[in-house]
């Protein structure tokens, strides 16, 4: 065995220098790579902290704008003309949309910093599906969409974070409504997932909308990614909704995926263990 082969088998030297020029060059590159990785991690941490700070600071003035607009809408300060009422409603609608997007950024920042925690309770998944469906009734009526909610009979109550499961279902249902043309159909289903592993629940949110090309199935789960990222795109958002949904599902020990193709609609699925056990370090 030559001296070069022996050195190659040993751990890389990060202190001092090697007498072999080739090994010295490799060690120098390794040191440079370590420094660059540390810098990237520091920048990523700063980015996450900035997003959290700016999102938190935006929530208060946005909430104030919405509240004052609602005061005007409710006539507390006097009657409004039809044109004024339409304008105020536009302020409220736009303000709420922006507040939701700020909330998404804040949730993403917390997830990136591993600051998301789960508060688990025992609940029926159908209650969550009906709650989220009720919140979207006005959007469904506006687009003339039909919605069906189906659950398998005698589903057991699950142990999970109800608020976060509702967030996932709400995101998927909101996307289904947004990307389905008027007159289309949207559905939400829940059933047992029959596998050899621990018992789990399977939730499906489907639509007869535009569909997603197979090559974009993984892209849409990436942070800030959108299939159409041009400024003139018809559908706007932070590009974080599905990233957050995946994070919340995975925190529960489940997984999320989709089945779709262009022109045939989309079907999003996610699984949740029926008896989720929180990791010991979940709240550490």
């Amino acid at each position: 065995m030559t001296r070069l082969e022996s050195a190659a088998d040993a751990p890389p030297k990060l202190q001092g220098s090697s007498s072999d020029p080739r090994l010295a060059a490799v060690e120098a590159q390794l040191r440079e790579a370590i420094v660059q990785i540390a810098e990237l991690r520091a920048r990523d941490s700063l980015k996450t902290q900035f997003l959290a700070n700016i999102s938190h600071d935006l929530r208060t003035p946005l909430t104030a704008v919405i509240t004052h607009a609602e005061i005007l809408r409710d006539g507390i300060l006097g009657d409004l003309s039809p044109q004024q009422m339409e304008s105020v409603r536009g302020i409220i609608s736009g303000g709420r949309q922006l507040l939701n997007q700020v909330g998404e950024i804040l949730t993403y920042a917390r997830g990136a910093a591993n600051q998301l925690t789960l508060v688990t309770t025992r609940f029926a998944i159908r209650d969550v599906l009906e709650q989220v469906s009720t919140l979207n009734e006005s959007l469904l009526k506006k687009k003339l969409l039909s919605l069906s909610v189906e659950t398998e009979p005698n589903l057991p109550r699950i142990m999970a974070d109800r608020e976060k499961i509702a967030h996932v279902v709400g995101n998927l249902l909101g996307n289904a409504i947004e990307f389905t043309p008027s007159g289309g159909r949207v559905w939400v289903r829940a059933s047992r997932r029959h596998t050899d592993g621990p018992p789990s629940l399977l939730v499906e949110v489907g639509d007869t909308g535009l569909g997603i090309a197979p090559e974009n199935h993984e892209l849409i789960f990436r942070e800030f990614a959108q299939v159409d990222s041009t400024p003139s795109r018809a559908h706007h958002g932070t590009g974080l909704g599905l990233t957050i949904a995946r994070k919340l599902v995975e925190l529960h020990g489940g997984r999320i995926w989709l089945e779709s193709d262009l022109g045939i609609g989309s079907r999003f699925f996610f699984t949740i263990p029926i008896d989720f056990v929180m990791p010991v370090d979940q709240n550490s």
Side-chain angles (χ1 to χ4, degrees):
M1 180 178 295
T2 65
R3 185 178 64 177
L4 176 59
E5 289 170 335
S6 299
D9 292 337
K13 299 177 182 178
L14 298 182
Q15 296 180 351
S17 60
S18 171
S19 58
D20 188 308
R22 290 173 294 179
L23 284 180
V26 170
E27 289 173 1
Q29 291 175 353
L30 181 57
R31 283 194 293 268
E32 184 180 352
I34 291 174
V35 171
Q36 290 178 347
I37 290 172
E39 290 177 350
L40 288 173
R41 285 176 176 169
R43 291 177 185 175
D44 190 60
S45 178
L46 288 173
K47 178 197 72 174
T48 299
Q49 189 60 50
F50 170 76
L51 289 174
N53 291 344
I54 196 68
S55 300
H56 185 272
D57 291 344
L58 283 173
R59 288 171 69 91
T60 299
L62 269 175
T63 302
V65 169
I66 295 170
T67 300
H68 284 288
E70 289 175 338
I71 290 173
L72 293 174
R73 179 201 61 191
D74 296 339
I76 296 176
L77 300 181
D79 294 334
L80 300 179
S81 68
Q83 293 85 354
Q84 290 171 329
M85 181 64 75
E86 182 179 357
S87 179
V88 167
R89 285 174 176 163
I91 293 172
I92 295 172
S93 176
R96 286 177 177 169
Q97 182 180 3
L98 186 55
L99 190 61
N100 287 337
Q101 292 177 355
V102 168
E104 279 191 347
I105 295 173
L106 185 57
T107 301
Y108 162 76
R110 287 172 176 166
N114 294 319
Q115 294 176 350
L116 286 176
T117 58
L118 301 180
V119 180
T120 59
T121 58
R122 183 78 64 178
F123 61 91
I125 190 64
R126 184 171 183 88
D127 292 343
V128 171
L129 301 186
E130 290 180 343
Q131 170 195 347
V132 174
S133 299
T134 299
L135 292 174
N136 285 277
E137 278 183 353
S138 60
L139 291 175
L140 290 161
K141 290 179 180 178
K142 185 177 180 179
K143 294 193 68 175
L144 303 175
L145 301 176
S146 65
L147 170 66
S148 63
V149 178
E150 305 172 13
T151 55
E152 182 181 304
N154 302 318
L155 276 180
R157 294 162 68 87
I158 64 172
M159 177 65 75
D161 187 317
R162 176 172 178 149
E163 180 182 343
K164 290 181 173 60
I165 296 302
H167 184 104
V168 174
V169 176
N171 176 267
L172 297 179
L173 183 57
N175 287 346
I177 293 171
E178 180 176 1
F179 290 96
T180 300
S182 296
R185 186 168 61 90
V186 178
W187 62 88
V188 184
R189 297 170 182 156
S191 60
R192 287 177 183 265
R193 190 174 190 224
H194 302 282
T195 65
D196 296 332
S200 61
L201 201 69
L202 176 66
V203 178
E204 173 189 349
V205 179
D207 62 69
T208 58
L210 304 177
I212 302 168
E215 61 267 23
N216 291 322
H217 285 191
E218 182 59 30
L219 170 69
I220 61 173
F221 287 103
R222 297 177 189 167
E223 57 188 28
F224 303 110
Q226 298 195 6
V227 174
D228 181 4
S229 58
T230 61
S232 59
R233 64 185 185 273
H235 305 279
H236 297 270
T238 61
L240 289 172
L242 289 174
T243 303
I244 294 170
R246 171 180 274 181
K247 180 70 173 180
L248 296 180
V249 169
E250 290 178 347
L251 276 175
H252 284 84
R255 72 183 190 95
I256 185 171
W257 72 97
L258 80 150
E259 296 176 3
S260 179
D261 210 336
L262 287 176
I264 63 170
S266 301
R267 298 168 66 200
F268 283 83
F269 301 87
F270 70 89
T271 59
I272 295 292
I274 290 175
D275 293 303
F276 170 69
V277 179
M278 196 181 319
V280 174
D281 63 347
Q282 174 68 48
N283 293 309
S284 62

